[in-house]
């Protein structure tokens, strides 16, 4: 029987994840009186502060706001939470803020932190814990894109024997590991949850590291033959002062 060869890799899931991208409706926002804009900004900052307050709680989750470059979005919020139901509440929480009337949906993604056990589980429970339930890394830049593994006539990831996939993931890990200091990757699985199969979220102190890493990876067979990519979003961490400057121009 060929059954063991076509087996899906075992995965372990951790935090549930929502990436929520919004565009600001600038003409309508700017036409508001300044006092109204300040009030809506305060309410938004209060909401974001509340989101981030879970960080002190063990396995409570993590949330970060980002400014986004290009016209695909202006703002992004990323939430990690232990219970998927919390993400429904967080999404609704932002819509209930008055400023939501001026935030146009741009993109969003629902997934769950996933470790695929191609290399077997780490023998150290604290390593597994840290990877399944991480804080959002304190790096200045974030890169998010969704991806699939190809199911073409010639190259079909899902038809490959497990041993070949394992070998290829080893090569992938080798390329990635060269960037371990500059880039933190968080892979989230979204099979059955959203339109692509994985979300890739990378964190680094400078976006040049995203470019170098992703380019080098394009030559690795796990990507060159088998990866298909969705849109890329690049964000920069946004403190309350940054969001105030963005929205009120001060
Ligand atoms: O060392 C380990 O245990 C982890 C090895 C590892 C796995 C299992 C790893 C390492 N990744 C894994 C899984 Mn990854 N990763 C991506 C992308 O743009 C592209 O071409 C692909 C997008 C990047 C940039 C990246 C970076 N990785 C996965 C999976 C799940 C596949 C599956 O289960 O079939 C995907 C979709 C994926 C995609 N990867 C690394 C990195 C980096 C930087 C590392 C090294 C991390 C480190 O050593 O600290």
């Amino acid at each position: 029987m060929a059954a063991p060869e076509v087996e899906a890799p075992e995965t372990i899931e951790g935090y549930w994840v929502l990436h929520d991208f919004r565009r600001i409706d600038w003409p309508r926002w700017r036409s508001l009186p300044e006092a109204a804009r300040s009030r809506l900004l305060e309410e938004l900052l209060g909401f974001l502060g509340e989101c981030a307050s879970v960080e002190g709680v063990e396995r409570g989750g993590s949330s970060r706001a980002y400014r986004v470059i290009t016209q695909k979005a202006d703002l992004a919020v990323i939430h990690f939470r232990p219970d998927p139901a919390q993400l429904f509440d967080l999404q609704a929480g932002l819509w209930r803020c008055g400023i939501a009337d001026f935030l146009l949906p741009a993109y969003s993604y629902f997934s769950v932190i996933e470790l695929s056990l191609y290399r077997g589980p780490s023998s150290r429970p604290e390593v597994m814990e840290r990877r399944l339930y991480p804080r959002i890394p304190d790096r200045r830049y974030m890169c998010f894109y969704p991806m699939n593994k190809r199911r073409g006539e010639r190259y079909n990831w899902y038809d490959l024997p497990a041993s070949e996939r394992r070998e290829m993931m080893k090569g992938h890990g080798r390329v990635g590991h060269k960037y371990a200091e500059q880039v933190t990757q968080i892979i989230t699985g979204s099979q059955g949850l959203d339109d692509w199969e994985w979300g890739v979220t990378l964190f680094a102190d400078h976006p040049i590291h995203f470019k170098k890493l992703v380019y080098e990876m394009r030559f690795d067979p796990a990507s060159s033959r088998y990866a298909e990519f969705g849109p890329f979003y690049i964000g920069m961490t946004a403190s309350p002062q940054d969001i105030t400057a963005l929205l009120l121009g001060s």
Side-chain angles (χ1 to χ4, degrees):
M1 284 269 286
E5 277 287 279
V6 296
E7 250 173 33
E10 198 187 329
T11 57
I12 307 186
E13 281 73 24
Y15 277 144
W16 290 82
V17 178
L18 178 66
H19 292 73
D20 189 342
F21 297 87
R22 310 279 174 125
R23 274 191 301 121
I24 296 162
D25 187 343
W26 286 110
R28 288 188 52 244
W29 173 251
R30 265 200 309 265
S31 70
L32 278 182
E34 194 169 335
R37 280 190 282 157
S38 295
R39 190 170 38 77
L40 295 176
L41 171 68
E42 281 311 308
E43 186 194 20
L44 172 68
L45 295 180
F47 170 75
L48 294 175
E50 233 171 76
C51 293
S53 70
V54 295
E55 300 238 337
V57 182
E58 202 187 322
R59 279 205 191 185
S62 189
S63 291
R64 285 280 187 294
Y66 295 88
R67 296 181 57 180
V68 179
I69 191 108
T70 80
Q71 295 171 2
K72 284 182 273 191
D74 291 299
L75 271 177
V77 192
I78 302 179
H79 302 289
F80 293 178
R81 287 297 183 278
D83 181 345
Q86 293 171 287
L87 299 177
F88 287 71
D89 292 339
L90 289 165
Q91 178 177 278
L94 180 52
W95 281 123
R96 276 199 301 268
C97 289
I99 201 170
D101 292 351
F102 303 87
L103 296 179
L104 307 169
Y107 197 70
S108 61
Y109 208 77
F110 179 53
S111 55
V112 60
I113 290 184
E114 167 190 295
L115 300 184
S116 51
L117 300 180
Y118 279 114
R119 295 198 321 177
S122 166
S123 52
R124 290 166 52 210
E126 69 276 14
V127 172
M128 296 295 280
E129 175 74 17
R130 207 171 339 110
R131 293 178 60 185
L132 289 168
Y133 300 100
R135 276 185 59 157
I136 296 176
D138 282 320
R139 304 273 195 138
R140 187 142 194 242
Y141 291 93
M142 174 276 294
C143 168
F144 170 77
Y145 53 100
M147 65 173 282
N148 289 338
K149 285 287 170 85
R150 186 166 294 138
R151 276 164 289 163
E153 278 178 30
R154 175 139 178 250
Y155 291 121
N156 184 331
W157 179 257
Y158 296 91
D159 276 346
L160 290 178
S163 53
E164 273 185 49
R165 280 184 277 121
R166 193 174 311 114
E167 222 20 65
M168 248 181 284
M169 287 312 293
K170 227 195 256 172
H172 167 83
R174 252 196 314 271
V175 175
H177 199 65
K178 292 200 238 165
Y179 294 83
E181 277 191 16
Q182 293 94 346
V183 181
T184 307
Q185 73 146 2
I186 294 185
I187 293 298
T188 56
S190 42
Q191 297 88 351
L193 302 176
D194 213 324
D195 299 341
W196 296 78
E197 293 166 350
W198 285 276
V200 179
T201 315
L202 308 173
F203 301 88
D205 290 326
H206 197 287
I208 191 66
H209 303 305
F210 303 142
K211 180 177 187 296
K212 300 277 185 206
L213 164 62
V214 171
Y215 187 49
E216 184 168 352
M217 235 167 222
R218 293 284 158 108
F219 293 91
D220 181 71
S223 297
S224 65
R225 289 188 195 149
Y226 294 103
E228 290 171 343
F229 302 100
F232 280 65
Y233 291 86
I234 304 294
M236 185 168 74
T237 45
S239 66
Q241 292 79 358
D242 296 328
I243 295 175
T244 304
L246 172 71
L247 286 165
L248 297 186
S250 59

